[in-house]
Amino acid sequence: MDDNGFSHTHLSGTGVSDYGDILIMPTNKIVFNNGADGKEGYRSNFSHDREEATPGFYKVHLDDTNIDVALTVTERAGMHEYKFPTAEDQVAIIDLLHRDKTLDTKIEVISNTEIQGYRFSEAWATDQRLFFNIKTSHPFSDMLQSPPISGAPGAQKIALRFENPNNEPVYISVGISAVDVAGAKRNRETELGDKTFSQIKKEARGTWEDQ
């Protein structure tokens, strides 16, 4: 992660800004700015002392919001686990502007537990296209932001406010595809389905050991 949030495509050590797509960040208030400009934002400090990383698994405590985050993956999908400190003010920001230059974006709310869309961008790659489908364990109310930025006419950021009166862990399942949103949904349903976070983590570890 970086202190802005958790994205779903990554390059390491390339010196280019490509990838870092479909950034999601849990927080406790609806604020669309990431805070990189010194103003109030959704980013959070964290300590490497409260961070854990193994093949197919990552865990960290967000100091500013007191939220515990865990992540695990398959080849074309991933699952987030958020443990909020209280049942109130449980928010996830999805920011499609994060990282390289956006060419076009779209966020479509399918239901109160599902959204989908795409992010087209350019940097070293001149026309990178990524489609996504996201399913949440708890229903949400949503607030969209679509600032009038030239070249990016679609909705670019969304805040999901979860309804979770018993303060259970919130799970966010994300499928991605370079082809279309149907493929992203199919990848999520095929690779994650009804599996638990622990099952996915175990399978990811097994894949690593096999290799």
Side-chain angles (χ1 to χ4, degrees):
M1 77 162 287
D2 59 32
D3 55 4
N4 287 325
F6 309 93
S7 56
H8 294 80
T9 57
H10 302 92
L11 292 171
S12 178
T14 63
V16 298
S17 61
D18 298 68
Y19 284 10
D21 298 289
I22 322 300
L23 182 96
I24 306 178
M25 182 62 159
T27 185
N28 49 28
K29 64 178 67 175
I30 294 177
V31 53
F32 287 110
N33 183 45
N34 66 10
D37 55 5
K39 298 179 182 177
E40 181 184 23
Y42 59 71
R43 69 194 302 167
S44 175
N45 292 308
F46 68 98
S47 169
H48 293 303
D49 293 335
R50 303 188 71 177
E51 187 180 34
E52 179 184 344
T54 59
F57 176 72
Y58 178 76
K59 183 178 181 180
V60 70
H61 180 81
L62 303 181
D63 293 336
D64 294 346
T65 52
N66 201 28
I67 299 169
D68 288 307
V69 177
L71 312 171
T72 190
V73 296
T74 62
E75 290 186 24
R76 290 165 289 268
M79 182 177 285
H80 302 226
E81 178 191 74
Y82 302 152
K83 294 181 179 179
F84 292 89
T86 70
E88 289 75 39
D89 301 322
Q90 299 191 357
V91 175
I93 303 293
I94 301 174
D95 188 346
L96 300 187
L97 288 182
H98 176 69
R99 207 154 168 89
D100 58 1
K101 179 184 177 182
T102 53
L103 302 175
D104 192 8
T105 58
K106 181 179 181 180
I107 300 172
E108 180 182 5
V109 178
I110 305 300
S111 71
N112 66 352
T113 58
E114 184 178 358
I115 67 172
Q116 65 183 20
Y118 57 75
R119 182 179 192 271
F120 302 164
S121 62
E122 69 174 7
W124 182 55
T126 57
D127 186 15
Q128 184 212 339
R129 301 192 172 202
L130 192 73
F131 300 84
F132 65 89
N133 177 272
I134 296 174
K135 185 77 172 177
T136 65
S137 61
H138 292 71
F140 58 78
S141 57
D142 61 274
M143 179 181 294
L144 284 166
Q145 174 176 300
S146 185
I149 296 177
S150 176
Q156 299 160 3
K157 301 181 185 182
I158 187 171
L160 310 179
R161 184 187 292 275
F162 296 107
E163 301 168 17
N164 185 13
N166 296 324
N167 198 22
E168 301 158 329
V170 172
Y171 295 95
I172 298 181
S173 300
V174 182
I176 60 175
S177 169
V179 180
D180 54 26
V181 290
K185 182 171 184 175
R186 184 167 56 251
N187 289 339
R188 177 183 60 77
E189 291 179 337
T190 301
E191 297 187 10
L192 300 180
D194 295 326
K195 296 176 184 176
T196 66
F197 187 95
S198 295
Q199 286 175 305
I200 298 164
K201 176 186 174 184
K202 182 178 180 180
E203 290 177 6
R205 180 71 189 191
T207 300
W208 173 267
E209 294 296 342
D210 290 342
Q211 292 299 316

